[in-house]
Amino acid sequence: MPEYSLRQRELFVQKSTRVAASYLRRTEELGDIPQAMKPFLDVLRRVFVDLEDVSRSQGMKTVGTYCVMLPSELIWAAGAMPVRLCSGSYTAYTIGDDLVPRDACPLVKSVMGFGEIEVSPLYSNCSLMVIPVTCDCKKKLAGMLERLKPTVTLHVPSSKERDADMEEYVRELYRLIPILEEVTGRQVTPQSLAEAINQKDYAQYEMSRFLTYRQHNPPLLHGTQVMAVMNAFAYMPPLEWAKCMRQLNDELEERLKQKKFAAKANRPRILVTGSPILYPNLKIPLLIEEMGGMLVGDETCMGERALYDPLTVTDRSFDGMMRALAGRYTRPCTCPTFTENRQRIFRIKQMIKDHQIQGVIYHVLRGCLVYDYEYPVLEEELEKEGIPIIRVESDYNEEDVEQLRIRIEAFIELLKLKQFSEQKARGTV
């Protein structure tokens, strides 16, 4: 593997932090953002622009995660802090491009780039990395990261319908516990697990409250800003995030009373689904809103999906809580890693209704085959509903921005024309 000089590391830091700062600035400039959003943006600035480690209690270790199907409650119960290491860095991607096959997804390339150049405390300070195997690239990523950090894979069943598969996932979670305990020096007890579950529940409660404001028409907040809030969850303790979210919810409630909206009601309301959108790779959300659309919903694993489904515990024994975690992180999950995925179609249709969606943008990272496979099915289903959908493929660079801009702008104009035709038919224009 290549060795990087001090000068190469300095150039990497300059470029990566400049790109991260640029996307953060554009997110802030979309409109008059609530004051309560500042803590979330500060976290992203600290981690990606200042390249500082996450804030945590003294002596607390961090565990790197690579998927929302890993129960973060187990990590908290072991006395460690989970941090999401899936990366949207264009600069790290260019380094990873030399380390993995050309057709590997940009997310994996970016992760490998950060791991190799060793300039981010977020990566270098992790005591353990846990990788749920949800695709072939994640499987090979785990093998490559093992030489950098202690790494453990978590087998995710290909089906969530068969009880035998779910039993296997429960066993995988039990297998993870002693590994976490060895890293942290603390035991996962029924009490610590229950406490971690309660903390996550609080965050999910505030998220459910937030969704009622997000669905409002006219919108109270730009969708790109919402995605920044959701990305920040990966680098904050759940109670801290929930406290900040409660303040944001309170401010949104006041804005609603004052009719202080982020945009007019006539802007096309758009849903984004498909491959993960990870900070700082916010070019798709930004293009949507800079071109006159309004991103009012996202069915992505770094968006609403991460905190949408609450955990239901009917048996408060340790095994009961473990089984509840296994069920919550797989049964309702709409990730295309599962062979049967009708739930995803149902969920997207539900979001279209709840968020008053007028068009869907299906985002595919180049090389992300599991999501690409599902586009034709979704296209066919939405065609029956009369909902326009467009597939956009992107990479971790800015070379495709103009092409994406043209396609997204044309799609938004199509939605505006459809909107005008419907209003004309109703006699409202």
Side-chain angles (χ1 to χ4, degrees), residues 367-378:
C368 187
L369 296 179
V370 288
Y371 275 103
D372 215 357
Y373 259 110
E374 295 203 343
Y375 174 73
V377 178
L378 182 60

Side-chain angles (χ1 to χ4, degrees), residues 57-303:
S57 302
Q58 188 174 6
M60 177 180 279
K61 295 183 178 181
T62 57
V63 173
T65 69
Y66 291 87
C67 181
V68 293
M69 272 191 274
L70 167 63
S72 56
E73 291 91 335
L74 282 181
I75 299 173
W76 283 109
M81 179 172 175
V83 291
R84 183 78 179 266
L85 297 185
C86 293
S87 173
S89 170
Y90 301 168
T91 317
Y93 160 84
T94 60
I95 292 177
D97 198 31
D98 294 329
L99 303 173
V100 301
R102 181 193 62 186
D103 293 332
C105 85
L107 187 153
V108 167
K109 292 179 181 180
S110 189
V111 168
M112 284 306 304
F114 261 126
E116 281 294 329
I117 200 159
E118 297 180 324
V119 296
S120 171
L122 189 71
Y123 288 79
S124 56
N125 289 351
C126 276
S127 300
L128 176 72
M129 295 185 181
V130 183
I131 305 180
V133 180
T134 54
C135 67
D136 288 341
C137 276
K138 287 279 186 71
K139 184 186 298 182
K140 301 311 293 183
L141 172 67
M144 297 183 74
L145 288 177
E146 278 182 331
R147 60 185 176 76
L148 302 174
K149 288 282 180 182
T151 303
V152 58
T153 57
L154 193 68
H155 174 70
V156 177
S158 58
S159 169
K160 48 190 173 179
E161 307 297 324
R162 296 188 296 266
D163 289 340
D165 286 333
M166 296 310 300
E167 284 295 323
E168 184 179 357
Y169 188 60
V170 171
R171 288 194 295 270
E172 284 289 281
L173 296 186
Y174 269 107
R175 181 177 65 86
L176 180 61
I177 289 176
I179 299 172
L180 292 171
E181 291 175 334
E182 184 177 357
V183 167
T184 64
R186 290 181 55 179
Q187 272 194 315
V188 177
T189 65
Q191 182 179 353
S192 70
L193 185 57
E195 184 178 341
I197 287 173
N198 289 337
Q199 290 181 8
K200 188 72 173 284
D201 282 348
Y202 180 32
Q204 287 183 304
Y205 167 76
E206 290 298 335
M207 178 64 183
S208 66
R209 185 181 165 207
F210 176 71
L211 285 177
T212 63
Y213 295 119
R214 189 180 190 189
Q215 292 169 7
H216 195 273
N217 188 13
L220 293 162
L221 201 61
H222 283 273
T224 307
Q225 296 164 351
V226 173
M227 298 202 83
V229 170
M230 297 309 303
N231 270 256
F233 178 75
Y235 313 106
M236 299 172 71
L239 288 181
E240 181 186 341
W241 186 89
K243 179 182 176 182
C244 294
M245 181 58 85
R246 183 181 63 198
Q247 294 171 345
L248 177 58
N249 283 330
D250 291 344
E251 188 170 347
L252 291 177
E253 184 177 356
E254 285 301 312
R255 287 190 168 218
L256 181 57
K257 291 176 182 177
Q258 299 169 12
K259 297 184 178 180
K260 190 176 181 181
F261 303 119
K264 294 180 180 180
N266 62 352
R267 292 182 70 172
R269 295 173 66 84
I270 294 172
L271 167 76
V272 165
T273 185
S275 300
I277 295 177
L278 298 140
Y279 183 80
N281 181 38
L282 298 180
K283 62 183 172 184
I284 298 294
L286 281 168
L287 284 173
I288 291 170
E289 301 199 299
E290 290 173 347
M291 292 296 101
M294 201 68 194
L295 178 58
V296 296
D298 64 273
E299 199 283 321
T300 66
C301 56
M302 280 304 285

Side-chain angles (χ1 to χ4, degrees), residues 373-393:
Y373 259 110
E374 295 203 343
Y375 174 73
V377 178
L378 182 60
E379 182 183 38
E380 181 181 348
E381 289 293 326
L382 294 191
E383 186 178 352
K384 298 175 186 176
E385 306 290 328
I387 301 295
I389 181 172
I390 184 176
R391 174 189 177 278
V392 294
E393 183 176 305

